[in-house]
């Protein structure tokens, strides 16, 4: 919406559409195809397109370095129960933790498609304050736990930080999540 979200919302509703969500510069709506041409000429609407939807990538194959390239080689140890991510070893974060740099006083926001089953990982997610939808409502399951590894790594790297997780499914929700995390004075 170029002029205002309120004017665009009114035009969409008058055209028989239903507003799904709004964010700064965006209105996501379900609109009858027959109304698209008239909405496209409305002064409060800059353009119309399908929303970008976010989804899980699932298990992704990662290309390994070709032979002859330098690689970081750290022996893996068998672990059970709670596990510390490899990032702590790779970055020597333990030395920073020993020196007192643990993330204390830092608020971190994580935006992802899915945070299902965080309760099963509670021992690994000690820095997690909350998981909510983009608009700060109660998180509902999405069938994806793609965000869990990021949360685990952050809690390992900055165990005393406060982490706020937000689920998003499309770009308007992304901007809503950004605004809501900013309102919490999230640092990163």
């Amino acid at each position: 919406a170029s002029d205002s979200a309120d004017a665009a919302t009114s035009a969409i509703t008058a055209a028989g559409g239903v507003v799904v969500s709004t964010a700064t510069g965006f209105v996501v709506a379900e609109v009858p195809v027959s109304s698209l041409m008239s909405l496209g000429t409305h002064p409060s609407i800059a353009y119309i397109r399908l929303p970008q939807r976010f989804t899980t990538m699932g298990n992704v194959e990662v290309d390994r370095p070709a032979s002859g390239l330098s690689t970081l080689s750290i022996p893996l140890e068998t672990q059970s129960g709670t596990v510390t991510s490899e990032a702590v070893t790779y970055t020597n974060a333990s030395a920073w933790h020993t020196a007192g740099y643990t993330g204390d006083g830092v608020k971190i926001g994580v935006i992802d498609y899915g945070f299902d089953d965080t309760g099963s990982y509670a021992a690994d997610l000690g820095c997690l304050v909350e998981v909510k939808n983009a608009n700060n409502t109660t998180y509902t399951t999405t069938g994806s736990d793609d965000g869990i590894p990021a949360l685990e790594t952050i809690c390992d790297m900055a165990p005393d930080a406060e982490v706020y997780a937000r689920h998003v499914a499309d770009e308007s929700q992304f901007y809503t999540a950004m605004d809501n995390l900013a309102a919490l004075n999230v640092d990163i």
Side-chain angles (χ1 to χ4, degrees):
S2 59
D3 293 336
S4 77
D6 291 339
T9 297
S10 295
I12 290 165
T13 303
V18 176
V19 174
V20 175
S21 63
T22 61
T24 305
F26 291 94
V27 176
V28 176
E30 295 174 355
V31 178
V33 172
S34 60
S35 300
L36 290 175
M37 293 301 285
S38 63
L39 283 173
T41 62
H42 194 279
S44 68
I45 298 176
Y47 58 92
I48 297 173
R49 65 172 169 79
L50 291 172
Q52 292 179 341
R53 301 244 183 241
F54 302 148
T55 185
T56 177
M57 290 182 64
N59 292 329
V60 177
E61 289 294 322
V62 178
D63 291 334
R64 299 294 177 211
S67 62
L69 295 178
S70 297
T71 60
L72 179 61
S73 178
I74 297 175
L76 298 177
E77 298 175 18
T78 304
Q79 300 180 7
S80 61
T82 60
V83 176
T84 301
S85 71
E86 296 88 1
V88 173
T89 303
Y90 289 147
T91 62
N92 199 24
S94 296
W96 290 98
H97 295 163
T98 300
Y101 297 99
T102 61
D104 187 36
V106 177
K107 292 182 178 181
I108 301 171
V110 177
I111 298 173
D112 200 282
Y113 180 75
F115 299 102
D116 287 8
D117 208 22
T118 54
S120 295
Y121 300 93
D124 293 321
L125 302 176
C127 68
L128 182 62
V129 174
E130 63 185 22
V131 177
K132 291 187 175 184
N133 290 321
N135 61 359
N136 287 336
T137 59
T138 303
Y139 174 73
T140 52
T141 61
T142 62
S144 171
D145 62 358
D146 277 6
I148 301 289
L151 295 175
E152 288 179 310
T153 300
I154 292 166
C155 288
D156 285 346
M157 297 292 289
D160 293 330
E162 296 176 20
V163 176
Y164 298 83
R166 293 296 181 270
H167 157 70
V168 299
D170 63 43
E171 70 186 298
S172 102
Q173 291 178 5
F174 176 82
Y175 289 104
T176 298
M178 293 280 288
D179 289 343
N180 287 326
L181 289 170
L184 291 170
N185 295 315
V186 166
D187 301 301
I188 301 171

